[in-house]
Amino acid sequence: MGNGEPLKHQVAGERVIRVRPSRPLSGEVIIGGAKNSVLKLLAATTLSEGSCVIRGVPRISDVHTMLELLEGFGSRTSFANDVVEVVTPETLTPHAPYELVSSMRASFSVLGPLLARCGEAVVAFPGGDDFGTRPIDMHIEALQRMGADIEISHGYVHARAPVLKGASVTLAWPSVGATENIMMAATLAKGETVIENAAREPEIVDLAAFLNRMGAHVLGAGGQTIRVEGVSGLVPVEHTPIPDRVETAVFLAALGAAGGEITLSGAQPSHLRMLCDKLGEMDLRTSTTRNGLWAMSPNRLRSTDMVTLPYPGVATDYQPLLVALLSLADGVGLVTENVFPNRFGYVGELLRMGADIRVEGRCAIVRGRERLSGATVRATDIRAGAALVVAGLGAEGETHVRDTRHILRGFDGLVEKLAALGADVAWAEWSQPTVVS
Ligand code: UD1
């Protein structure tokens, strides 16, 4: 270069979320259907031949991944507005390829229903992810107790069971995924399956309601013991899933970061008790309305300690949002992660924004700051991505959240909904400056 100055130029743009400090939020936000429910309901459509219709489905890429998986089995799918129709043929090709299972772990929930319906299934063994290794031993052991012959080879789980038999299964931990896989497999098994120490999440109750509507006999979902009496066949149905409690938590956290008063229409307060209690300790007030939740937050919150636990405890999916909020609160908060001890990978991004967080094993010690400072950060997973957007609302200057594909996997219209509440959040074209000498 003539003057010895390096040449700065921009490379092709990337869609990022631009967040600026925001005035107090106000207005109404409508909460959509629960991602973690919808994905399992879609897996369950394989249990019967014919057309299932699911309404209130969020427009997120994880739903498209699940539909792609179902199409690979031979089902026909359509997704218009918020309605998904899945037409399942009489004969399925029960093969879930690695490309899809590795991009979305919930894909593994097809193992149980495929095995029950087809007598065999080949499903890619899910690899590690941002939460750590995430084993599937409980899924496998339970299906083996039900008479399945399971072999793991070349990165795939090969399961075979011409006849699945009801069995008594005690889970070592109330795993959501294992409970769902066993419950779905048991609907078409011979005899009764009893799941002890079952997960009690609202999404389990929703799946049980869907299965029962299809003609299954599932009793006790939402409690520690679930009983499933196998039936000889199921029929396709229509269903509307429960509201998304993690999406609700995102808007409550955004309110905590920006202050203000909002209503969350469609939210289900009975699913959110522990979260609302914790937020209450931080001075964010909530109350039940006819159609959801009302919430008000002062400009500054107080710190508190929290521990993630299976439902009805504080959900691990809320943890990054709560850490972001504690980074902006008065005092010191201790967050203990009991479900996925490695789920602090995103903390490095909050540190880039000036947060004061020390991670020690499964604990994060979060010292609140007066203000964070806007920075370019990367969404490391779905929930962490939303937490960075929340942090940006309480940061000086601009925050750019990159790798937004993670956010699009799990949240439908997050940016648009926040903007409608008055948050200064928008999609932006972000170009990486590169230096050419
Ligand atoms: C689901 C949710 C996820 C949520 C999590 C916990 C979906 C798509 N995902 O994930 O958003 O964070 O529940 O509420 O619904 N475990 C084993 N062996 C197993 C299965 C699980 O050791 O066979 C362990 C896991 O490593 C983890 C704990 O059990 O420590 C809980 O995992 P699990 O409840 O199964 O979570 P997911 O179903 O994967």
Side-chain angles (χ1 to χ4, degrees), residues 376-390:
T376 299
V377 287
R378 285 181 184 274
T380 51
D381 67 67
I382 305 175
R383 311 315 187 184
L388 294 170
V389 173
V390 165

Side-chain angles (χ1 to χ4, degrees), residues 84-260:
V84 167
E85 183 183 12
V86 181
V87 183
T88 308
E90 190 185 346
T91 308
L92 290 167
T93 308
H95 184 263
Y98 178 62
E99 292 65 39
L100 293 177
V101 178
S102 64
S103 69
M104 185 184 73
R105 203 189 143 79
S107 311
F108 196 68
S109 61
V110 300
L111 177 65
L114 283 181
L115 182 60
R117 174 87 196 286
C118 308
E120 61 173 329
V122 181
V123 178
F125 193 104
D129 63 12
D130 295 313
F131 304 176
T133 49
R134 296 183 85 175
I136 49 164
D137 52 314
M138 287 191 258
H139 303 238
I140 303 290
E141 279 163 30
L143 294 172
Q144 282 171 332
R145 284 184 78 87
M146 296 174 75
D149 180 14
I150 296 183
E151 189 191 300
I152 295 165
S153 61
H154 305 292
Y156 279 83
V157 176
H158 301 253
R160 206 163 289 115
V163 183
L164 270 181
K165 301 185 303 271
S168 191
V169 177
T170 301
L171 297 179
W173 171 275
S175 154
V176 175
T179 302
E180 290 165 337
N181 247 330
I182 302 164
M183 213 162 75
M184 288 189 275
T187 58
L188 293 177
K190 265 204 164 8
E192 188 187 52
T193 298
V194 181
I195 313 170
E196 299 282 6
N197 198 24
R200 299 165 61 190
E201 271 69 4
E203 293 74 20
I204 301 276
V205 179
D206 201 21
L207 177 60
F210 182 76
L211 295 171
N212 284 341
R213 196 170 281 181
M214 292 175 89
H217 290 168
V218 182
L219 276 177
Q224 278 170 350
T225 305
I226 298 178
R227 291 175 188 279
V228 186
E229 184 66 45
V231 295
S232 59
L234 297 173
V235 295
V237 290
E238 291 197 20
H239 187 82
T240 302
I242 56 168
D244 198 311
R245 58 200 171 101
V246 189
E247 188 191 26
T248 309
V250 172
F251 291 107
L252 290 173
L255 180 73

